[in-house]
Amino acid sequence: MKIDVAFLPKDIEGMNLSDTVCIVLDIFRATSSMTTALDNQCKCIMPVLSVDEAHAIADKIGPVLFAGERKSIKIEGFNFGNSPYEFSPDKVKNETIIMTTTNGTVAVKATDGAYRTLIGAFVNAAAVCRKARQYGKDILIVCAGTDRLFSLEDALCAGLLVKQLSADAEAEPLLTDSARAAVLLYDQASDKLTDIAINSRNGKRLYDLGRTDDVEYCFKTDILEVVPEYRDGKIALFNE
Amino acid sequence: MKIDVAFLPKDIEGMNLSDTVCIVLDIFRATSSMTTALDNQCKCIMPVLSVDEAHAIADKIGPVLFAGERKSIKIEGFNFGNSPYEFSPDKVKNETIIMTTTNGTVAVKATDGAYRTLIGAFVNAAAVCRKARQYGKDILIVCAGTDRLFSLEDALCAGLLVKQLSADAEAEPLLTDSARAAVLLYDQASDKLTDIAINSRNGKRLYDLGRTDDVEYCFKTDILEVVPEYRDGKIALFNE
């Protein structure tokens, strides 16, 4: 088994992923929020790239809620921004949510054609690793990055996942250089994640917007057991 | 001053670098070898992208030597491969070398249009940092990577350079997420660089080819004082 990390969605352009299980990470905050919404019994999330596309799909499929942000701020007229705390059970239970975010939805859609695309985050780290391993395929962790640039928090979570995937593997997996780098990075940072986040580009923006609670939540590890999957244009909890 | 790291040349496509000092790294082995050749009084190195281009330029400018590799192996008929040990004073003094390598020359040419492009490596780490800082510009460290994939050894050297550039800066520089990641990576790995290299993709290939000496040489830090610069299509030691 090979474990690879793409620090940016554009790094996987043109790759044949038909035999690869992808795990998409956008820690601040799309995949943390998606996982939370599904844990709170949201029916499904439909990731789209633009506000226009969100409205066009809503016109077709009927009653939905809209979630999305641009530069960490809720899109005007939408029901939700991108804070995991917004996706509470009373708001999302049995609802279909159309979501467009700056980076996370782009990363999810970059894996179109993969054997499986799982949604990962610190909050469901152990669960997503367990699920990813069960297919016996190569695993590619895709970091969303920010505005096409490397994001520290995504790379740190990638390191945690590579460690967990390696530790529990039956045979020693082949780690690519980027997977090895992610592990070294995580090992150096694991006891000071929040401090490091304060100085990261995305983390600093959330602090400046007063979303310290989001930063802290998004670094909570293994608090959720659900593993959302992207399949046929929808993110949901599929039965195999 | 901003300090940024591009883990791959393609990450800087479309960037306006006219006010940025670039430092190009291809530790195994192009920039380590270029620095060594210039230290051994090679007149200049002309980086080209293909063997055909190498011959076309040679036809124009007269007597030259040819250096280059594909997948770490010397190109047939060339004077040098890409081992720093090949570029000894008796071979290179006062010579013009046309060089084409899989990754390093591509990375150098990706910085066309930069305010300055300096050639860096572990072997001249302190010297290249000193020179890069003197312009008072933003600094972008460009890792060559390998076959368009992330390379651990380049990222490690980037981390060392970011640390040195930050430590000696008059005001605290702004570090991008990738620059912060490179520092964390280097700090975690600095006492076991060679062990880590054995497991990296490029390092393993060099070990398999019996080039342990190259790996060890390329990790020697601050043994050379020269800082080659890429200007007008040539890599040389320019007087300002």
Side-chain angles (χ1 to χ4, degrees), chain A residues 7 10-11 150-153 177-178 180-181 184-185 187-188 199-201, chain B residues 7 10-11 150-153 177-178 180-181 184-185 187-188 199-201:
Chain A
F7 289 124
K10 66 182 170 183
D11 293 349
F150 179 98
S151 269
L152 195 48
E153 65 280 3
D177 275 23
S178 50
R180 287 181 193 281
L184 289 165
L185 187 62
D187 280 342
Q188 181 67 19
N199 290 309
S200 76
R201 182 169 170 233
Chain B
F7 289 123
K10 66 182 171 182
D11 293 349
F150 178 99
S151 268
L152 197 48
E153 66 280 4
D177 275 23
S178 50
R180 287 180 193 282
L184 289 164
L185 188 62
D187 280 343
Q188 182 66 19
N199 290 308
S200 77
R201 183 169 170 233

PDB file of all heavy atoms in Angstrom, chain A residues 7 10-11 150-153 177-178 180-181 184-185 187-188 199-201, chain B residues 7 10-11 150-153 177-178 180-181 184-185 187-188 199-201:
ATOM      1  N   PHE A   7      -0.260  18.335  -1.283  1.00  0.00           N
ATOM      2  CA  PHE A   7      -0.442  19.533  -0.445  1.00  0.00           C
ATOM      3  C   PHE A   7      -1.410  20.522  -1.081  1.00  0.00           C
ATOM      4  O   PHE A   7      -1.895  21.424  -0.413  1.00  0.00           O
ATOM      5  CB  PHE A   7       0.912  20.189  -0.154  1.00  0.00           C
ATOM      6  CG  PHE A   7       1.770  19.381   0.787  1.00  0.00           C
ATOM      7  CD1 PHE A   7       3.048  18.975   0.427  1.00  0.00           C
ATOM      8  CD2 PHE A   7       1.298  19.014   2.040  1.00  0.00           C
ATOM      9  CE1 PHE A   7       3.835  18.236   1.297  1.00  0.00           C
ATOM     10  CE2 PHE A   7       2.071  18.271   2.914  1.00  0.00           C
ATOM     11  CZ  PHE A   7       3.342  17.873   2.538  1.00  0.00           C
ATOM     12  N   LYS A  10      -4.240  21.087  -6.991  1.00  0.00           N
ATOM     13  CA  LYS A  10      -3.694  21.130  -8.349  1.00  0.00           C
ATOM     14  C   LYS A  10      -2.584  20.093  -8.542  1.00  0.00           C
ATOM     15  O   LYS A  10      -2.269  19.736  -9.674  1.00  0.00           O
ATOM     16  CB  LYS A  10      -3.210  22.531  -8.716  1.00  0.00           C
ATOM     17  CG  LYS A  10      -2.033  23.030  -7.936  1.00  0.00           C
ATOM     18  CD  LYS A  10      -1.649  24.461  -8.342  1.00  0.00           C
ATOM     19  CE  LYS A  10      -0.622  25.021  -7.384  1.00  0.00           C
ATOM     20  NZ  LYS A  10      -0.230  26.397  -7.639  1.00  0.00           N
ATOM     21  N   ASP A  11      -2.010  19.610  -7.438  1.00  0.00           N
ATOM     22  CA  ASP A  11      -0.961  18.590  -7.556  1.00  0.00           C
ATOM     23  C   ASP A  11      -1.502  17.264  -8.081  1.00  0.00           C
ATOM     24  O   ASP A  11      -0.720  16.396  -8.487  1.00  0.00           O
ATOM     25  CB  ASP A  11      -0.276  18.340  -6.200  1.00  0.00           C
ATOM     26  CG  ASP A  11       0.511  19.550  -5.725  1.00  0.00           C
ATOM     27  OD1 ASP A  11       0.706  20.492  -6.519  1.00  0.00           O
ATOM     28  OD2 ASP A  11       0.933  19.557  -4.544  1.00  0.00           O
ATOM     29  N   PHE A 150      -0.332  26.487  -0.152  1.00  0.00           N
ATOM     30  CA  PHE A 150      -0.125  25.525   0.933  1.00  0.00           C
ATOM     31  C   PHE A 150      -0.752  26.013   2.236  1.00  0.00           C
ATOM     32  O   PHE A 150      -0.569  27.164   2.622  1.00  0.00           O
ATOM     33  CB  PHE A 150       1.393  25.375   1.104  1.00  0.00           C
ATOM     34  CG  PHE A 150       1.818  24.434   2.185  1.00  0.00           C
ATOM     35  CD1 PHE A 150       2.173  23.133   1.882  1.00  0.00           C
ATOM     36  CD2 PHE A 150       1.898  24.858   3.508  1.00  0.00           C
ATOM     37  CE1 PHE A 150       2.604  22.262   2.881  1.00  0.00           C
ATOM     38  CE2 PHE A 150       2.318  24.001   4.509  1.00  0.00           C
ATOM     39  CZ  PHE A 150       2.674  22.706   4.190  1.00  0.00           C
ATOM     40  N   SER A 151      -1.469  25.137   2.933  1.00  0.00           N
ATOM     41  CA  SER A 151      -2.039  25.474   4.248  1.00  0.00           C
ATOM     42  C   SER A 151      -1.440  24.593   5.326  1.00  0.00           C
ATOM     43  O   SER A 151      -1.504  23.362   5.240  1.00  0.00           O
ATOM     44  CB  SER A 151      -3.547  25.231   4.255  1.00  0.00           C
ATOM     45  OG  SER A 151      -4.232  26.373   3.878  1.00  0.00           O
ATOM     46  N   LEU A 152      -0.944  25.237   6.350  1.00  0.00           N
ATOM     47  CA  LEU A 152      -0.263  24.513   7.423  1.00  0.00           C
ATOM     48  C   LEU A 152      -1.202  23.546   8.133  1.00  0.00           C
ATOM     49  O   LEU A 152      -0.841  22.390   8.397  1.00  0.00           O
ATOM     50  CB  LEU A 152       0.308  25.537   8.402  1.00  0.00           C
ATOM     51  CG  LEU A 152       1.341  25.090   9.406  1.00  0.00           C
ATOM     52  CD1 LEU A 152       2.461  24.276   8.787  1.00  0.00           C
ATOM     53  CD2 LEU A 152       1.916  26.308  10.123  1.00  0.00           C
ATOM     54  N   GLU A 153      -2.431  23.976   8.446  1.00  0.00           N
ATOM     55  CA  GLU A 153      -3.330  23.130   9.246  1.00  0.00           C
ATOM     56  C   GLU A 153      -3.734  21.869   8.474  1.00  0.00           C
ATOM     57  O   GLU A 153      -3.897  20.795   9.065  1.00  0.00           O
ATOM     58  CB  GLU A 153      -4.555  23.911   9.730  1.00  0.00           C
ATOM     59  CG  GLU A 153      -5.509  24.402   8.662  1.00  0.00           C
ATOM     60  CD  GLU A 153      -5.054  25.677   7.951  1.00  0.00           C
ATOM     61  OE1 GLU A 153      -3.942  26.167   8.245  1.00  0.00           O
ATOM     62  OE2 GLU A 153      -5.801  26.169   7.093  1.00  0.00           O
ATOM     63  N   ASP A 177       7.584  11.062  -0.469  1.00  0.00           N
ATOM     64  CA  ASP A 177       8.307  12.133   0.229  1.00  0.00           C
ATOM     65  C   ASP A 177       7.356  13.103   0.919  1.00  0.00           C
ATOM     66  O   ASP A 177       7.627  13.564   2.030  1.00  0.00           O
ATOM     67  CB  ASP A 177       9.177  12.919  -0.766  1.00  0.00           C
ATOM     68  CG  ASP A 177      10.532  12.263  -0.995  1.00  0.00           C
ATOM     69  OD1 ASP A 177      10.662  11.043  -0.764  1.00  0.00           O
ATOM     70  OD2 ASP A 177      11.466  12.976  -1.412  1.00  0.00           O
ATOM     71  N   SER A 178       6.242  13.418   0.262  1.00  0.00           N
ATOM     72  CA  SER A 178       5.320  14.380   0.879  1.00  0.00           C
ATOM     73  C   SER A 178       4.646  13.756   2.098  1.00  0.00           C
ATOM     74  O   SER A 178       4.393  14.442   3.096  1.00  0.00           O
ATOM     75  CB  SER A 178       4.281  14.863  -0.133  1.00  0.00           C
ATOM     76  OG  SER A 178       3.674  13.780  -0.791  1.00  0.00           O
ATOM     77  N   ARG A 180       6.073  11.515   4.061  1.00  0.00           N
ATOM     78  CA  ARG A 180       7.107  11.559   5.110  1.00  0.00           C
ATOM     79  C   ARG A 180       7.239  12.965   5.687  1.00  0.00           C
ATOM     80  O   ARG A 180       7.395  13.149   6.905  1.00  0.00           O
ATOM     81  CB  ARG A 180       8.470  11.138   4.538  1.00  0.00           C
ATOM     82  CG  ARG A 180       8.571   9.675   4.262  1.00  0.00           C
ATOM     83  CD  ARG A 180       9.943   9.260   3.717  1.00  0.00           C
ATOM     84  NE  ARG A 180       9.820   7.912   3.209  1.00  0.00           N
ATOM     85  CZ  ARG A 180       9.812   6.822   3.974  1.00  0.00           C
ATOM     86  NH1 ARG A 180       9.971   6.923   5.276  1.00  0.00           N
ATOM     87  NH2 ARG A 180       9.657   5.633   3.434  1.00  0.00           N
ATOM     88  N   ALA A 181       7.186  13.961   4.822  1.00  0.00           N
ATOM     89  CA  ALA A 181       7.294  15.345   5.295  1.00  0.00           C
ATOM     90  C   ALA A 181       6.133  15.683   6.223  1.00  0.00           C
ATOM     91  O   ALA A 181       6.321  16.332   7.262  1.00  0.00           O
ATOM     92  CB  ALA A 181       7.311  16.303   4.105  1.00  0.00           C
ATOM     93  N   LEU A 184       6.812  14.235   9.680  1.00  0.00           N
ATOM     94  CA  LEU A 184       7.838  15.010  10.402  1.00  0.00           C
ATOM     95  C   LEU A 184       7.245  16.312  10.927  1.00  0.00           C
ATOM     96  O   LEU A 184       7.486  16.727  12.064  1.00  0.00           O
ATOM     97  CB  LEU A 184       9.023  15.309   9.475  1.00  0.00           C
ATOM     98  CG  LEU A 184       9.904  14.102   9.106  1.00  0.00           C
ATOM     99  CD1 LEU A 184      10.798  14.431   7.905  1.00  0.00           C
ATOM    100  CD2 LEU A 184      10.781  13.684  10.289  1.00  0.00           C
ATOM    101  N   LEU A 185       6.462  16.951  10.083  1.00  0.00           N
ATOM    102  CA  LEU A 185       5.803  18.208  10.435  1.00  0.00           C
ATOM    103  C   LEU A 185       4.881  18.012  11.627  1.00  0.00           C
ATOM    104  O   LEU A 185       4.923  18.776  12.605  1.00  0.00           O
ATOM    105  CB  LEU A 185       4.998  18.615   9.194  1.00  0.00           C
ATOM    106  CG  LEU A 185       4.316  19.943   9.132  1.00  0.00           C
ATOM    107  CD1 LEU A 185       5.348  21.050   9.208  1.00  0.00           C
ATOM    108  CD2 LEU A 185       3.549  20.056   7.803  1.00  0.00           C
ATOM    109  N   ASP A 187       4.875  15.580  13.841  1.00  0.00           N
ATOM    110  CA  ASP A 187       5.615  15.196  15.048  1.00  0.00           C
ATOM    111  C   ASP A 187       6.238  16.419  15.725  1.00  0.00           C
ATOM    112  O   ASP A 187       6.311  16.497  16.948  1.00  0.00           O
ATOM    113  CB  ASP A 187       6.709  14.174  14.716  1.00  0.00           C
ATOM    114  CG  ASP A 187       6.138  12.772  14.570  1.00  0.00           C
ATOM    115  OD1 ASP A 187       5.010  12.539  15.044  1.00  0.00           O
ATOM    116  OD2 ASP A 187       6.816  11.917  13.978  1.00  0.00           O
ATOM    117  N   GLN A 188       6.698  17.363  14.915  1.00  0.00           N
ATOM    118  CA  GLN A 188       7.316  18.562  15.493  1.00  0.00           C
ATOM    119  C   GLN A 188       6.273  19.480  16.124  1.00  0.00           C
ATOM    120  O   GLN A 188       6.573  20.213  17.062  1.00  0.00           O
ATOM    121  CB  GLN A 188       8.094  19.302  14.392  1.00  0.00           C
ATOM    122  CG  GLN A 188       8.822  20.560  14.848  1.00  0.00           C
ATOM    123  CD  GLN A 188       9.975  20.260  15.816  1.00  0.00           C
ATOM    124  OE1 GLN A 188      10.465  19.129  15.892  1.00  0.00           O
ATOM    125  NE2 GLN A 188      10.388  21.256  16.568  1.00  0.00           N
ATOM    126  N   ASN A 199      -0.524  31.481  14.111  1.00  0.00           N
ATOM    127  CA  ASN A 199       0.371  32.141  13.166  1.00  0.00           C
ATOM    128  C   ASN A 199       0.179  31.697  11.717  1.00  0.00           C
ATOM    129  O   ASN A 199       0.818  32.228  10.832  1.00  0.00           O
ATOM    130  CB  ASN A 199       1.825  31.893  13.581  1.00  0.00           C
ATOM    131  CG  ASN A 199       2.151  32.641  14.852  1.00  0.00           C
ATOM    132  OD1 ASN A 199       1.903  33.835  14.950  1.00  0.00           O
ATOM    133  ND2 ASN A 199       2.675  31.933  15.847  1.00  0.00           N
ATOM    134  N   SER A 200      -0.685  30.710  11.499  1.00  0.00           N
ATOM    135  CA  SER A 200      -0.930  30.304  10.116  1.00  0.00           C
ATOM    136  C   SER A 200      -1.864  31.326   9.475  1.00  0.00           C
ATOM    137  O   SER A 200      -2.559  32.080  10.149  1.00  0.00           O
ATOM    138  CB  SER A 200      -1.560  28.912  10.071  1.00  0.00           C
ATOM    139  OG  SER A 200      -2.927  28.978  10.433  1.00  0.00           O
ATOM    140  N   ARG A 201      -1.874  31.316   8.156  1.00  0.00           N
ATOM    141  CA  ARG A 201      -2.644  32.334   7.430  1.00  0.00           C
ATOM    142  C   ARG A 201      -4.145  32.224   7.719  1.00  0.00           C
ATOM    143  O   ARG A 201      -4.809  33.195   8.071  1.00  0.00           O
ATOM    144  CB  ARG A 201      -2.368  32.106   5.934  1.00  0.00           C
ATOM    145  CG  ARG A 201      -3.037  33.081   5.034  1.00  0.00           C
ATOM    146  CD  ARG A 201      -2.471  32.923   3.621  1.00  0.00           C
ATOM    147  NE  ARG A 201      -3.250  33.675   2.692  1.00  0.00           N
ATOM    148  CZ  ARG A 201      -3.790  33.173   1.583  1.00  0.00           C
ATOM    149  NH1 ARG A 201      -3.605  31.909   1.266  1.00  0.00           N
ATOM    150  NH2 ARG A 201      -4.480  33.940   0.777  1.00  0.00           N
TER     151      ARG A 201
ATOM    152  N   PHE B   7       7.210  24.578  -2.871  1.00  0.00           N
ATOM    153  CA  PHE B   7       7.727  23.206  -2.818  1.00  0.00           C
ATOM    154  C   PHE B   7       7.914  22.623  -4.219  1.00  0.00           C
ATOM    155  O   PHE B   7       8.582  21.601  -4.380  1.00  0.00           O
ATOM    156  CB  PHE B   7       6.809  22.318  -1.976  1.00  0.00           C
ATOM    157  CG  PHE B   7       6.870  22.634  -0.504  1.00  0.00           C
ATOM    158  CD1 PHE B   7       5.729  22.972   0.209  1.00  0.00           C
ATOM    159  CD2 PHE B   7       8.077  22.621   0.173  1.00  0.00           C
ATOM    160  CE1 PHE B   7       5.784  23.272   1.564  1.00  0.00           C
ATOM    161  CE2 PHE B   7       8.155  22.919   1.528  1.00  0.00           C
ATOM    162  CZ  PHE B   7       7.002  23.251   2.228  1.00  0.00           C
ATOM    163  N   LYS B  10       6.190  24.472 -10.291  1.00  0.00           N
ATOM    164  CA  LYS B  10       4.891  24.831 -10.888  1.00  0.00           C
ATOM    165  C   LYS B  10       4.061  25.714  -9.952  1.00  0.00           C
ATOM    166  O   LYS B  10       3.138  26.387 -10.394  1.00  0.00           O
ATOM    167  CB  LYS B  10       4.112  23.580 -11.311  1.00  0.00           C
ATOM    168  CG  LYS B  10       3.663  22.697 -10.175  1.00  0.00           C
ATOM    169  CD  LYS B  10       2.927  21.451 -10.697  1.00  0.00           C
ATOM    170  CE  LYS B  10       2.684  20.467  -9.571  1.00  0.00           C
ATOM    171  NZ  LYS B  10       2.032  19.242  -9.973  1.00  0.00           N
ATOM    172  N   ASP B  11       4.402  25.715  -8.655  1.00  0.00           N
ATOM    173  CA  ASP B  11       3.664  26.572  -7.712  1.00  0.00           C
ATOM    174  C   ASP B  11       3.905  28.058  -7.965  1.00  0.00           C
ATOM    175  O   ASP B  11       3.164  28.899  -7.448  1.00  0.00           O
ATOM    176  CB  ASP B  11       4.053  26.250  -6.255  1.00  0.00           C
ATOM    177  CG  ASP B  11       3.589  24.857  -5.831  1.00  0.00           C
ATOM    178  OD1 ASP B  11       2.810  24.245  -6.585  1.00  0.00           O
ATOM    179  OD2 ASP B  11       4.024  24.386  -4.768  1.00  0.00           O
ATOM    180  N   PHE B 150       6.911  16.601  -4.919  1.00  0.00           N
ATOM    181  CA  PHE B 150       7.585  17.113  -3.718  1.00  0.00           C
ATOM    182  C   PHE B 150       8.833  16.288  -3.378  1.00  0.00           C
ATOM    183  O   PHE B 150       8.791  15.064  -3.382  1.00  0.00           O
ATOM    184  CB  PHE B 150       6.565  17.018  -2.576  1.00  0.00           C
ATOM    185  CG  PHE B 150       7.058  17.459  -1.233  1.00  0.00           C
ATOM    186  CD1 PHE B 150       6.749  18.732  -0.765  1.00  0.00           C
ATOM    187  CD2 PHE B 150       7.789  16.607  -0.427  1.00  0.00           C
ATOM    188  CE1 PHE B 150       7.179  19.142   0.489  1.00  0.00           C
ATOM    189  CE2 PHE B 150       8.228  17.013   0.823  1.00  0.00           C
ATOM    190  CZ  PHE B 150       7.923  18.280   1.280  1.00  0.00           C
ATOM    191  N   SER B 151       9.935  16.976  -3.056  1.00  0.00           N
ATOM    192  CA  SER B 151      11.167  16.281  -2.644  1.00  0.00           C
ATOM    193  C   SER B 151      11.533  16.655  -1.221  1.00  0.00           C
ATOM    194  O   SER B 151      11.687  17.836  -0.901  1.00  0.00           O
ATOM    195  CB  SER B 151      12.341  16.703  -3.533  1.00  0.00           C
ATOM    196  OG  SER B 151      12.478  15.858  -4.614  1.00  0.00           O
ATOM    197  N   LEU B 152      11.719  15.647  -0.407  1.00  0.00           N
ATOM    198  CA  LEU B 152      12.005  15.868   1.004  1.00  0.00           C
ATOM    199  C   LEU B 152      13.295  16.648   1.218  1.00  0.00           C
ATOM    200  O   LEU B 152      13.344  17.584   2.026  1.00  0.00           O
ATOM    201  CB  LEU B 152      12.064  14.504   1.706  1.00  0.00           C
ATOM    202  CG  LEU B 152      11.962  14.451   3.211  1.00  0.00           C
ATOM    203  CD1 LEU B 152      10.819  15.277   3.757  1.00  0.00           C
ATOM    204  CD2 LEU B 152      11.817  12.995   3.671  1.00  0.00           C
ATOM    205  N   GLU B 153      14.353  16.293   0.498  1.00  0.00           N
ATOM    206  CA  GLU B 153      15.649  16.927   0.755  1.00  0.00           C
ATOM    207  C   GLU B 153      15.633  18.413   0.403  1.00  0.00           C
ATOM    208  O   GLU B 153      16.271  19.227   1.079  1.00  0.00           O
ATOM    209  CB  GLU B 153      16.784  16.185   0.029  1.00  0.00           C
ATOM    210  CG  GLU B 153      16.765  16.228  -1.485  1.00  0.00           C
ATOM    211  CD  GLU B 153      15.791  15.230  -2.118  1.00  0.00           C
ATOM    212  OE1 GLU B 153      15.067  14.543  -1.372  1.00  0.00           O
ATOM    213  OE2 GLU B 153      15.755  15.152  -3.362  1.00  0.00           O
ATOM    214  N   ASP B 177       2.742  30.068   5.220  1.00  0.00           N
ATOM    215  CA  ASP B 177       2.506  28.736   5.795  1.00  0.00           C
ATOM    216  C   ASP B 177       3.547  27.719   5.330  1.00  0.00           C
ATOM    217  O   ASP B 177       3.995  26.873   6.108  1.00  0.00           O
ATOM    218  CB  ASP B 177       1.110  28.232   5.398  1.00  0.00           C
ATOM    219  CG  ASP B 177       0.027  28.742   6.343  1.00  0.00           C
ATOM    220  OD1 ASP B 177       0.245  29.781   7.003  1.00  0.00           O
ATOM    221  OD2 ASP B 177      -1.044  28.113   6.414  1.00  0.00           O
ATOM    222  N   SER B 178       3.921  27.791   4.054  1.00  0.00           N
ATOM    223  CA  SER B 178       4.890  26.811   3.555  1.00  0.00           C
ATOM    224  C   SER B 178       6.259  27.063   4.176  1.00  0.00           C
ATOM    225  O   SER B 178       7.002  26.106   4.455  1.00  0.00           O
ATOM    226  CB  SER B 178       4.957  26.837   2.026  1.00  0.00           C
ATOM    227  OG  SER B 178       5.130  28.153   1.558  1.00  0.00           O
ATOM    228  N   ARG B 180       6.738  28.300   7.203  1.00  0.00           N
ATOM    229  CA  ARG B 180       6.625  27.768   8.566  1.00  0.00           C
ATOM    230  C   ARG B 180       6.719  26.236   8.574  1.00  0.00           C
ATOM    231  O   ARG B 180       7.347  25.634   9.444  1.00  0.00           O
ATOM    232  CB  ARG B 180       5.290  28.177   9.199  1.00  0.00           C
ATOM    233  CG  ARG B 180       5.215  29.614   9.580  1.00  0.00           C
ATOM    234  CD  ARG B 180       3.883  30.002  10.216  1.00  0.00           C
ATOM    235  NE  ARG B 180       3.813  31.445  10.246  1.00  0.00           N
ATOM    236  CZ  ARG B 180       4.451  32.221  11.130  1.00  0.00           C
ATOM    237  NH1 ARG B 180       5.167  31.666  12.084  1.00  0.00           N
ATOM    238  NH2 ARG B 180       4.368  33.522  11.063  1.00  0.00           N
ATOM    239  N   ALA B 181       6.068  25.626   7.603  1.00  0.00           N
ATOM    240  CA  ALA B 181       6.118  24.159   7.517  1.00  0.00           C
ATOM    241  C   ALA B 181       7.546  23.685   7.299  1.00  0.00           C
ATOM    242  O   ALA B 181       7.993  22.711   7.915  1.00  0.00           O
ATOM    243  CB  ALA B 181       5.207  23.665   6.394  1.00  0.00           C
ATOM    244  N   LEU B 184       9.432  23.757  10.603  1.00  0.00           N
ATOM    245  CA  LEU B 184       9.022  22.659  11.495  1.00  0.00           C
ATOM    246  C   LEU B 184       9.639  21.340  11.042  1.00  0.00           C
ATOM    247  O   LEU B 184      10.133  20.539  11.828  1.00  0.00           O
ATOM    248  CB  LEU B 184       7.495  22.549  11.521  1.00  0.00           C
ATOM    249  CG  LEU B 184       6.750  23.680  12.246  1.00  0.00           C
ATOM    250  CD1 LEU B 184       5.268  23.678  11.883  1.00  0.00           C
ATOM    251  CD2 LEU B 184       6.913  23.543  13.769  1.00  0.00           C
ATOM    252  N   LEU B 185       9.612  21.142   9.744  1.00  0.00           N
ATOM    253  CA  LEU B 185      10.171  19.932   9.124  1.00  0.00           C
ATOM    254  C   LEU B 185      11.665  19.817   9.418  1.00  0.00           C
ATOM    255  O   LEU B 185      12.155  18.773   9.865  1.00  0.00           O
ATOM    256  CB  LEU B 185       9.936  20.087   7.617  1.00  0.00           C
ATOM    257  CG  LEU B 185      10.224  18.956   6.689  1.00  0.00           C
ATOM    258  CD1 LEU B 185       9.339  17.779   7.023  1.00  0.00           C
ATOM    259  CD2 LEU B 185       9.940  19.416   5.246  1.00  0.00           C
ATOM    260  N   ASP B 187      13.411  21.338  11.754  1.00  0.00           N
ATOM    261  CA  ASP B 187      13.672  21.183  13.194  1.00  0.00           C
ATOM    262  C   ASP B 187      13.469  19.734  13.640  1.00  0.00           C
ATOM    263  O   ASP B 187      14.188  19.239  14.501  1.00  0.00           O
ATOM    264  CB  ASP B 187      12.758  22.106  14.006  1.00  0.00           C
ATOM    265  CG  ASP B 187      13.276  23.539  14.026  1.00  0.00           C
ATOM    266  OD1 ASP B 187      14.460  23.751  13.706  1.00  0.00           O
ATOM    267  OD2 ASP B 187      12.496  24.446  14.363  1.00  0.00           O
ATOM    268  N   GLN B 188      12.493  19.080  13.053  1.00  0.00           N
ATOM    269  CA  GLN B 188      12.229  17.690  13.437  1.00  0.00           C
ATOM    270  C   GLN B 188      13.301  16.749  12.885  1.00  0.00           C
ATOM    271  O   GLN B 188      13.588  15.710  13.466  1.00  0.00           O
ATOM    272  CB  GLN B 188      10.841  17.270  12.917  1.00  0.00           C
ATOM    273  CG  GLN B 188      10.421  15.857  13.279  1.00  0.00           C
ATOM    274  CD  GLN B 188      10.214  15.652  14.782  1.00  0.00           C
ATOM    275  OE1 GLN B 188      10.037  16.602  15.533  1.00  0.00           O
ATOM    276  NE2 GLN B 188      10.266  14.421  15.227  1.00  0.00           N
ATOM    277  N   ASN B 199      15.586   7.137   3.061  1.00  0.00           N
ATOM    278  CA  ASN B 199      14.221   6.727   2.762  1.00  0.00           C
ATOM    279  C   ASN B 199      13.493   7.658   1.793  1.00  0.00           C
ATOM    280  O   ASN B 199      12.357   7.387   1.423  1.00  0.00           O
ATOM    281  CB  ASN B 199      13.426   6.629   4.063  1.00  0.00           C
ATOM    282  CG  ASN B 199      13.899   5.466   4.895  1.00  0.00           C
ATOM    283  OD1 ASN B 199      13.982   4.345   4.405  1.00  0.00           O
ATOM    284  ND2 ASN B 199      14.250   5.729   6.137  1.00  0.00           N
ATOM    285  N   SER B 200      14.123   8.760   1.430  1.00  0.00           N
ATOM    286  CA  SER B 200      13.473   9.650   0.457  1.00  0.00           C
ATOM    287  C   SER B 200      13.638   9.036  -0.930  1.00  0.00           C
ATOM    288  O   SER B 200      14.498   8.189  -1.172  1.00  0.00           O
ATOM    289  CB  SER B 200      14.096  11.041   0.505  1.00  0.00           C
ATOM    290  OG  SER B 200      15.344  11.045  -0.161  1.00  0.00           O
ATOM    291  N   ARG B 201      12.783   9.497  -1.828  1.00  0.00           N
ATOM    292  CA  ARG B 201      12.765   8.904  -3.169  1.00  0.00           C
ATOM    293  C   ARG B 201      14.100   9.088  -3.901  1.00  0.00           C
ATOM    294  O   ARG B 201      14.690   8.143  -4.415  1.00  0.00           O
ATOM    295  CB  ARG B 201      11.640   9.586  -3.944  1.00  0.00           C
ATOM    296  CG  ARG B 201      11.428   9.061  -5.326  1.00  0.00           C
ATOM    297  CD  ARG B 201      10.126   9.632  -5.866  1.00  0.00           C
ATOM    298  NE  ARG B 201       9.991   9.359  -7.264  1.00  0.00           N
ATOM    299  CZ  ARG B 201       9.751  10.274  -8.189  1.00  0.00           C
ATOM    300  NH1 ARG B 201       9.623  11.545  -7.856  1.00  0.00           N
ATOM    301  NH2 ARG B 201       9.640   9.940  -9.446  1.00  0.00           N
TER     302      ARG B 201
END
